[in-house]
Amino acid sequence: MNLKILFTMKTMKTTFVLVLLLTLISISGYSQLQNQKFAYVDTEYILKNIPEYNDAQEEMNALSQKWEKEVKAIYDKVEEMYKAYQAEAVLLPQDLKKKREDDILKKEKEAKDLQIKYFGSEGELFKKRNELVQPIQEKIYNAMQEIAETKNYSFIFDKAAGATMLYANPRLDISDEVLDQVGTVMQTVRKEDRK
């Protein structure tokens, strides 16, 4: 019986020490968290106020529309070939039917291949986007990194990236600072004209 009480007391002491240790760790973690500086940016706002980005978007949209028309023209030809085939299929001999079917499939494959060439994950539009937009994004990132290091921010969140921000204090928004910093290496919209 004495051993049982002694064992229970040791367990209670161990539990108390463990709870105390966890409490101290939590408090020190909380105080470290309080010492962290946070800020946020709105990349949509930043990008809207960089004329070079808007020009890049317009160029990519024009290319996309042009390529969509090319692909659509081939698909329209496939549809036209298929309708003609359906209308004549009853009268065609088997070997001519097979040839027409092969021609239709070949044309359809041509359209799909062109679509992949232009709009695929490694397609022309993707390459053009990397060529035009990636340098702008790198300049924005470098500006944010420089501001974070200068002002000692631990974290910078992006309001536009879909991260749920239920409240954001406007004093913590450094989007204009990022635009000003980017403005040292490329043209940005003047501060008073920003949207």
Side-chain angles (χ1 to χ4, degrees), residues 11-23:
T11 306
M12 285 176 54
K13 267 187 180 179
T14 306
T15 305
F16 177 74
V17 169
L18 194 62
V19 167
L20 183 62
L21 185 62
L22 287 173
T23 304

Side-chain angles (χ1 to χ4, degrees), residues 1 10 13-15 50-51 60-61 71 80 104-105 109 111 117 134 138 142 151 162 170 172 175 194:
M1 182 104 175
K10 278 189 174 185
K13 267 187 180 179
T14 306
T15 305
I50 298 176
M60 289 187 330
N61 288 341
V71 171
E80 179 185 309
I104 292 169
L105 291 175
K109 184 180 180 330
K117 176 186 172 193
Q134 191 171 2
E138 287 173 4
N142 291 339
K151 296 203 172 190
L172 300 175
S175 299
R194 294 180 185 160

Side-chain angles (χ1 to χ4, degrees), residues 7-137:
F7 181 74
T8 306
M9 287 178 69
K10 278 189 174 185
T11 306
M12 285 176 54
K13 267 187 180 179
T14 306
T15 305
F16 177 74
V17 169
L18 194 62
V19 167
L20 183 62
L21 185 62
L22 287 173
T23 304
L24 288 174
I25 290 171
S26 297
I27 290 171
S28 92
Y30 178 73
S31 67
Q32 284 180 350
L33 187 62
Q34 279 185 318
N35 293 333
Q36 304 291 322
K37 286 179 73 177
F38 302 91
Y40 72 92
V41 295
D42 185 346
T43 52
E44 282 182 26
Y45 170 79
I46 292 169
L47 290 171
K48 278 183 199 173
N49 287 288
I50 298 176
E52 189 177 326
Y53 175 77
N54 294 324
D55 294 344
Q57 285 297 109
E58 287 175 15
E59 186 176 337
M60 289 187 330
N61 288 341
L63 280 173
S64 178
Q65 289 173 357
K66 176 186 168 201
W67 292 336
E68 281 176 14
K69 285 179 184 175
E70 284 182 45
V71 171
K72 185 181 181 314
I74 297 173
Y75 274 119
D76 289 346
K77 181 68 176 167
V78 169
E79 190 175 329
E80 179 185 309
M81 290 169 69
Y82 183 70
K83 284 180 182 177
Y85 168 76
Q86 281 184 318
E88 300 170 352
V90 179
L91 305 172
L92 295 174
Q94 195 60 31
D95 60 332
L96 203 50
K97 273 186 183 181
K98 177 74 173 131
K99 184 184 179 323
R100 291 265 184 97
E101 289 170 359
D102 289 344
D103 289 345
I104 292 169
L105 291 175
K106 184 178 173 185
K107 195 60 138 172
E108 188 173 30
K109 184 180 180 330
E110 180 186 333
K112 287 179 182 176
D113 289 346
L114 190 61
Q115 193 170 20
I116 289 169
K117 176 186 172 193
Y118 289 147
F119 302 106
S121 60
E122 296 294 321
E124 297 296 320
L125 192 63
F126 176 79
K127 290 175 186 172
K128 195 65 168 173
R129 184 190 179 290
N130 280 345
E131 175 189 324
L132 297 174
V133 176
Q134 191 171 2
I136 297 168
Q137 290 174 327

